[in-house]
Amino acid sequence: MELTSIKSALDNETLTGTTVAVAGWVRTFRNDRFIALNDGSTIRNLQCVIDQEKVDATTRARFTTSAAVKCTGELVASQGSGQRVELKVTSVEVLGDSDAEKYPIQPKKHSLEFLREQAHLRFRTNTYSAVFRMRHQVSFGIHEYFDLNGYNYFHAPIITASDAEGAGEMFRVTTLDANSPPRLEANDSVDFALDFFGRESRLTVSGQLQAELAALALGKVYTFGPTFRAENSNTTRHLAEFWMIEPEAAFMDLKGDMDLAEGLCKHLIARVLKNSMDDLQFLDARLAEEEAQKPKEQRSEMGLIDRLKFVLENPFERITYDDAINILLRSKLPGGEALQEAGDRNGLPCQDQGLLYAHQRARRLRLQREGQNRCRHGCALPRHRRDHRWKSARRATGCIGSAHEGHERAGGRALVVPRYAQVRHCAARGLRAWAGALRAVRHRHGQHP
């Protein structure tokens, strides 16, 4: 018999009264009769009721947490509360045993630190399974949104010889012997001409440069793929590998770019609210538990679902960078402390969320005037590594906002989300977006398996 997903068994009313087969992993087995089975299609479990007279004690003893089990039976109206139907089992088969003494993920609360040490099993917890089902909806929605808006999906190379915009340190890709690479006689440097690509190559930090070329022929393109940063940082805002969205559009002004970003965010939120409500409710409840443990003045005004609906139902506020800085300067951290550096953005009030735009100062021009072609660590930057976007910083046509006298500005905008800091940033000639919102949700919501 063909397997039915547990999500379909719970949601499809036409299956009630029919015989179905389901397979999944045991979450709990209680009273020597009730199996809570989950197959990953939903955060909800299907209660499978076995007949103790038809299932011997030896088999029942194998129904331990995370054992793989296949159950066949009639889907009937549930006699208990909590779910619409349950499975009256006529036959059951243990497909894979799980040693209860050794299996580390038990039906209790586990810290995220502990689950990181069990990376191969953490997907079976409610927290991680909820996040990754939502990430699927978001990823699918990204492609859906850009397709509906006439964008062409573009695959930028992952291995590249260019540093895009000098955005960060890069991982090197080489086939040369790391212990004894060939060297040039002139200066004893590594001879990359003998490497696989004939020159020094690295993992990409951005598909932006290639996407810009495609946009000048196709009009509208976007990349959505892995990017890499070799920055030795253990903060939640620095990742060695992450997936980045980078739309590039010809003949688009800053307003169009802001409309695109707002539309994408709202499209993804609407999709998650529609297709992942069970997962959202679980994360919302976990967040409420965490908030209840905080002092009253530090608690969020809205829960997770309410916050998403608020963003979806209201237009994004659009303010200049100057106004944003003034808001930050007036803001206070919980307890009355002055906000730390503006780049942290943690103190931005909820009512001031939205797109911060107008003009960025041409920092590179200032640094060049001062002879400081250096990275943020103070190291001198080679000419080919300097940020290209500042080479010809001009006031972008149609940008809104006043320019301080004596300072040139390049068009740009950033999308700032309360509690999660900056999510998106772009220059006027293109949009660069980080798919980090769900990673933030993963780290901040829920720890129950």
Side-chain angles (χ1 to χ4, degrees):
M1 178 180 292
E2 184 177 353
L3 291 176
T4 300
S5 72
I6 288 179
K7 179 176 175 60
S8 296
L10 293 172
D11 293 342
N12 191 345
E13 296 183 3
T14 62
L15 294 178
T16 304
T18 66
T19 299
V20 299
V22 295
W25 298 274
V26 176
R27 287 296 178 91
T28 60
F29 180 50
R30 59 186 179 86
N31 298 339
D32 219 24
R33 187 183 180 192
F34 302 102
I35 301 174
L37 200 64
N38 189 282
D39 65 355
S41 62
T42 175
I43 199 170
R44 294 169 292 161
N45 303 323
L46 175 64
Q47 180 168 277
C48 302
V49 185
I50 65 172
D51 188 339
Q52 293 174 315
E53 296 182 356
K54 295 181 179 179
V55 182
D56 59 74
T58 302
T59 301
R60 296 199 303 271
R62 298 171 66 187
F63 298 153
T64 55
T65 300
S66 203
V69 173
K70 177 182 178 181
C71 295
T72 303
E74 183 183 2
L75 204 60
V76 299
S78 179
Q79 297 181 9
S81 59
Q83 62 182 23
R84 185 180 61 85
V85 293
E86 62 187 20
L87 187 67
K88 187 176 181 181
V89 178
T90 56
S91 67
V92 60
E93 178 184 1
V94 179
L95 302 177
D97 290 292
S98 175
D99 191 335
E101 298 297 326
K102 297 181 179 179
Y103 186 71
I105 309 295
Q106 297 300 318
K108 64 179 183 179
K109 183 176 182 177
H110 293 289
S111 68
L112 294 180
E113 289 73 17
F114 172 79
L115 293 178
R116 289 190 186 100
E117 298 175 357
Q118 308 294 332
H120 60 303
L121 297 173
R122 61 184 178 179
F123 298 102
R124 297 190 186 184
T125 65
N126 280 343
T127 300
Y128 278 90
S129 64
V131 166
F132 279 91
R133 277 188 296 269
M134 291 170 60
R135 285 186 62 166
H136 162 73
Q137 293 296 333
V138 170
S139 296
F140 195 92
I142 288 168
H143 292 293
E144 180 182 55
Y145 176 79
F146 284 113
D147 182 64
L148 291 173
N149 283 274
Y151 282 74
N152 295 287
Y153 184 31
F154 176 76
H155 290 247
I158 294 177
I159 300 176
T160 179
S162 66
D163 190 8
E165 56 185 37
E169 298 298 322
M170 302 176 73
F171 290 102
R172 180 178 294 166
V173 178
T174 181
T175 59
L176 298 179
D177 186 347
N179 295 320
S180 182
R183 296 187 177 276
L184 297 171
E185 294 182 1
N187 54 15
D188 199 38
S189 61
V190 177
D191 186 2
F192 286 104
L194 300 178
D195 205 350
F196 186 89
F197 294 104
R199 61 186 301 183
E200 189 174 6
S201 303
R202 301 177 184 272
L203 294 179
T204 184
V205 296
S206 169
Q208 176 180 325
L209 294 181
Q210 291 83 0
E212 287 174 349
L213 301 177
L216 294 178
L218 301 176
K220 295 180 178 181
V221 302
Y222 73 101
T223 70
F224 181 35
T227 53
F228 308 85
R229 303 287 170 90
E231 296 183 13
N232 188 16
S233 173
N234 294 321
T235 70
T236 58
R237 300 184 187 181
H238 293 86
L239 297 172
E241 176 184 351
F242 58 95
W243 281 57
M244 186 156 64
I245 312 162
E246 297 177 283
E248 297 289 347
F251 315 112
M252 177 178 283
D253 59 15
L254 195 59
K255 180 182 181 302
D257 175 68
M258 289 188 290
D259 292 340
L260 181 72
E262 180 173 346
L264 174 62
C265 289
K266 291 189 173 182
H267 178 83
L268 298 182
I269 290 173
R271 183 179 179 86
V272 170
L273 286 171
K274 177 182 178 181
N275 298 325
S276 301
M277 184 53 72
D278 289 337
D279 294 322
L280 281 174
Q281 288 173 343
F282 169 78
L283 295 176
D284 191 33
R286 297 282 72 78
L287 176 62
E289 290 181 4
E290 293 180 2
E291 292 294 317
Q293 298 175 6
K294 297 180 181 179
K296 186 175 181 180
E297 63 274 9
Q298 296 182 16
R299 297 175 189 173
S300 298
E301 297 178 0
M302 294 184 287
L304 174 61
I305 295 176
D306 290 337
R307 190 180 306 141
L308 290 175
K309 289 181 177 179
F310 177 83
V311 174
L312 181 63
E313 296 168 359
N314 291 276
F316 284 22
E317 294 292 335
R318 303 185 180 190
I319 60 177
T320 66
Y321 275 109
D322 292 336
D323 291 339
I325 294 299
N326 291 331
I327 291 172
L328 290 167
L329 293 175
R330 294 194 305 267
S331 299
K332 300 290 183 181
L333 291 172
E337 295 181 86
L339 187 68
Q340 298 173 351
E341 60 178 320
D344 196 19
R345 308 196 198 288
N346 282 335
L348 194 64
C350 182
Q351 65 268 26
D352 294 313
Q353 69 174 322
L355 293 170
L356 309 181
Y357 72 97
H359 307 286
Q360 297 174 329
R361 295 192 184 199
R363 294 175 296 171
R364 180 59 61 201
L365 294 181
R366 177 176 60 80
L367 291 175
Q368 287 176 349
R369 285 195 297 268
E370 298 174 0
Q372 297 180 19
N373 286 317
R374 298 180 178 274
C375 71
R376 61 188 178 90
H377 301 294
C379 303
L381 291 175
R383 183 171 299 278
H384 69 281
R385 291 281 305 282
R386 294 172 189 168
D387 195 337
H388 70 273
R389 75 171 58 183
W390 304 108
K391 290 182 179 178
S392 58
R394 297 185 296 268
R395 187 173 303 177
T397 304
C399 294
I400 302 174
S402 61
H404 291 303
E405 185 177 356
H407 293 281
E408 292 184 83
R409 296 190 174 199
R413 67 109 183 96
L415 170 58
V416 177
V417 180
R419 295 172 62 90
Y420 305 119
Q422 180 171 298
V423 176
R424 314 179 93 106
H425 173 272
C426 87
R429 19 137 286 323
L431 170 67
R432 187 174 72 180
W434 279 266
L438 283 183
R439 278 192 295 273
V441 171
R442 180 181 65 191
H443 286 295
R444 293 177 183 268
H445 297 319
Q447 299 180 6
H448 273 299

